[in-house]
Amino acid sequence: MVMRRLRPISLFSLISLIALGIMGYRRRWRIFARVLKWTPPHNQITVEIGLRVAMEDGVTLATDHYAPATGGNHPTILIRSPYGRMAKAGAFGIFLALFAQRFAERGYHVIVQDTRGRFDSEGEFFPYFHEKQDGLDTIAWIKQQGWYNGKIGLWGPSYLGIVQWAVAAHDPAIHALVPIVTSTDMRGTIFPDDAFDLGLAMRWLTIFALLDAYRGKPLPMQIGFIPRLERSTKRAFAHLPIGEADAVSTGAAVDFYRYWIDHADPHDPEWVTMNEDVRLAEVSAPVHLVAGWYDFFLRGQLKDYEALKAAGRHPYLTVGPWYHLQPTNPMGMIDGFREGILWLEAHLKGERSGLRQLPVRIYVLGAGWRDLPDFPPPSTERRYYLRGDGSLAESPEDGTCDPKRYTYDPNDPTPIRGGAAFDFRGGARDCRPLERRRDVLCYTAAVFRQAVTMIGYLRLELYVESSNPYTDFHGRVCDVHPNGRVVNICEGLFRLTPDNVQRGEDGVARITIDLWATAYRFAAGHALRLHVSSGAHPHWARNPGTGELFGVALRSSEQCIYHDADHPSALVVPITEH
């Protein structure tokens, strides 16, 4: 082997490399802005850390103020978060500080605040119930500052969006909102389809416990955060009664979790008051909703869009391919910043040139971005009928056909896989492992000879019978790839009780499962597949089969799915033009 001697680097080359590195570091945010398609920054900034802002009841909340170094009056962006403000709070605190800096570089005063009872703020954290008054008190404080120019914008994802809605209808100083992957419907998010999103509740409260446990520790020491979260919640998902699962995961009872358990009834006055207090129809500030197709807030966020339109507003809507805990774009924050800065520039500064012409932008899975005048776009309903041979066809059975049967056992609940779960493994996943289970039925359409696009809301109309008056039926729409891979697209659940279904003379019930919405392009050579089961635990907590939402006793159900001429079960999808 011939060894070659490397030439020593010249002093000039070394100095040039160092100079380029320094220039690159100094211009790093301009470079990132170009790569991420953000507007370029144009200000140096100053930061005041740890201001104390007093609330109506005397509690003080820890607050940071980011501002252009040139000083002066500029619009204000208010961001309130329970996840921490700075590096000592971990990855989310770092993210939040970075985005606050990026806003300030573009000519804004940015107020970042720990919500009540979190990190450096006083008081007790109890989701939502203090956010209206605390938010309005913080806005009142902003108005007293010498740099306030009369305009406030709100921005943020997830719970940071919930706190926006808490104040949006209650102060005319709010001139723009950007709620990202969030919704006004707290009850419908925690209790989807009158089930309980155990995965969301348990991971969320455990994240808070771990944020507190890791607080102030160097980032390298926080590498065990996610594995520890998954170990703790996995034990809790299997525990009964559900009302004690919080202590299994965190080691102690969590007041707000047990409050949710005690107020599960959809007609509970607490939920009614909360919904009335939002006053969505009275929100006059322009709103840009940023959502994700695989996000658990999606259904509620699309309802918010419809409600704003019904109130005569003109919201913008962006729906990307994201799920909530997606590592490459957690909570849609990277794309949410880009959309947010354009929206806030338009409505706080009057710089509307960055706004797109059409109000709706969606990512069509399998095809890319598309701009639309409204959502959903015009479409044609196509019915795919379930048939006895396991196929999906555009015509129903023309005679009798034996129903398909399976047993749902809550001791071994059918699991969720990917989808809109609050899970680091959410989103699009290969669902073939589910198809090996005896409690999952599969129905498959013929292979598409040319591409087919579905944009809008899907539903599953099933004729069912069960040995149990309290049970669930679940549907999942999938794409079968030519290589056999089965990828989930969207799904939904119907919780059966003796009072919420109508039965025919033969005792068979007709139910409709809301499969949520999607924008999906099936390529030529792919096929549509439907899964029918009775669960997707823990996204929809297992139905114990006893009529008690949080009971300990478990009762199996013998399920029948009918698809004969008298019971034409069908998957209904919106077909749009390419």
Side-chain angles (χ1 to χ4, degrees), residues 67-333:
T70 54
N73 297 342
H74 304 278
T76 302
I77 298 174
L78 173 60
I79 305 171
R80 305 185 62 249
S81 169
Y83 304 112
R85 309 175 339 272
M86 303 292 288
K88 65 181 180 181
F92 192 90
I94 292 172
F95 265 113
L96 194 55
L98 290 176
F99 283 112
Q101 293 166 19
R102 306 291 76 78
F103 277 121
E105 288 174 344
R106 288 158 175 80
Y108 295 93
H109 292 280
V110 185
I111 298 300
V112 180
Q113 185 179 77
D114 287 335
T115 56
R116 178 181 293 249
R118 295 300 303 154
F119 287 90
D120 296 327
S121 286
E122 297 174 348
E124 178 188 359
F125 177 63
F126 204 92
Y128 187 83
F129 287 99
H130 295 287
E131 305 305 357
K132 175 187 171 184
Q133 191 60 52
D134 287 354
L136 292 176
D137 288 346
T138 302
I139 290 172
W141 174 83
I142 291 171
K143 291 177 179 179
Q144 296 171 359
Q145 307 309 305
W147 40 259
Y148 172 63
N149 83 337
K151 293 184 178 181
I152 295 175
L154 309 178
W155 176 93
S158 195
Y159 194 82
L160 286 68
I162 289 172
V163 300
Q164 294 179 53
W165 286 123
V167 299
H170 301 280
D171 196 308
I174 299 169
H175 280 65
L177 290 82
V178 187
I180 305 166
V181 291
T182 192
S183 169
T184 62
D185 186 6
M186 281 283 288
R187 201 270 171 185
T189 301
I190 299 167
F191 293 93
D193 305 295
D194 287 328
F196 181 55
D197 192 339
L198 179 62
L200 166 61
M202 199 52 52
R203 281 196 175 88
W204 200 52
L205 64 88
T206 306
I207 283 172
F208 284 132
L210 292 178
L211 285 173
D212 293 342
Y214 283 100
R215 181 181 177 183
K217 294 183 179 180
L219 277 179
M221 295 183 64
Q222 299 187 31
I223 195 169
F225 187 103
I226 295 176
R228 187 173 169 184
L229 171 67
E230 293 305 296
R231 286 194 302 270
S232 298
T233 54
K234 184 177 181 180
R235 293 192 299 269
F237 295 153
H239 182 80
L240 292 174
I242 286 177
E244 299 173 357
D246 54 344
V248 173
S249 189
T250 68
V254 177
D255 288 346
F256 66 80
Y257 175 81
R258 302 204 173 192
Y259 178 89
W260 293 341
I261 299 295
D262 292 339
H263 294 79
D265 189 323
H267 305 295
D268 189 288
E270 295 286 0
W271 299 115
V272 174
T273 300
M274 184 183 300
N275 289 334
E276 291 176 347
D277 206 36
V278 171
R279 301 181 189 176
L280 189 63
E282 298 178 24
V283 175
S284 59
V287 179
H288 188 156
L289 301 157
V290 181
W293 289 124
Y294 289 105
D295 189 80
F296 61 85
F297 279 116
L298 175 66
R299 179 163 58 183
Q301 200 156 16
L302 292 178
K303 288 181 179 178
D304 292 341
Y305 172 74
E306 295 290 345
L308 288 167
K309 288 198 308 172
R313 309 294 183 250
H314 302 282
Y316 267 44
L317 173 68
T318 299
V319 190
W322 318 299
Y323 60 96
H324 209 81
L325 292 179
Q326 186 168 328
T328 57
N329 190 16
M331 292 184 281
M333 288 179 70

Side-chain angles (χ1 to χ4, degrees), residues 346-468:
H347 298 289
L348 300 185
K349 295 182 179 180
E351 298 175 6
R352 303 181 66 88
S353 61
L355 287 184
R356 58 185 186 244
Q357 292 185 344
L358 296 177
V360 175
R361 175 168 291 169
I362 61 173
Y363 190 92
V364 180
L365 299 161
W369 290 100
R370 180 182 298 185
D371 287 0
L372 302 168
D374 198 2
F375 184 88
S379 62
T380 302
E381 277 195 353
R382 182 179 297 176
R383 304 177 75 86
Y384 285 95
Y385 292 94
L386 286 63
R387 304 191 69 157
D389 61 359
S391 66
L392 290 172
E394 294 186 48
S395 60
E397 297 278 5
D398 56 7
T400 60
C401 176
D402 290 337
K404 287 189 177 294
R405 304 174 186 273
Y406 64 92
T407 300
Y408 174 71
D409 182 2
N411 288 288
D412 179 24
T414 317
I416 188 70
R417 188 168 179 86
F422 186 53
D423 191 332
F424 290 98
R425 297 156 298 184
R429 292 288 181 266
D430 189 345
C431 291
R432 282 178 289 185
L434 289 175
E435 297 180 353
R436 293 193 285 268
R437 292 182 61 98
R438 294 181 178 180
D439 55 2
V440 176
L441 304 180
C442 297
Y443 298 86
T444 309
V447 170
F448 291 117
R449 295 184 178 180
Q450 59 183 14
V452 172
T453 303
M454 301 176 184
I455 302 177
Y457 299 96
L458 290 77
R459 67 182 186 273
L460 177 58
E461 299 172 355
L462 285 183
Y463 289 86
V464 302
E465 193 173 21
S466 176
S467 64
N468 194 334

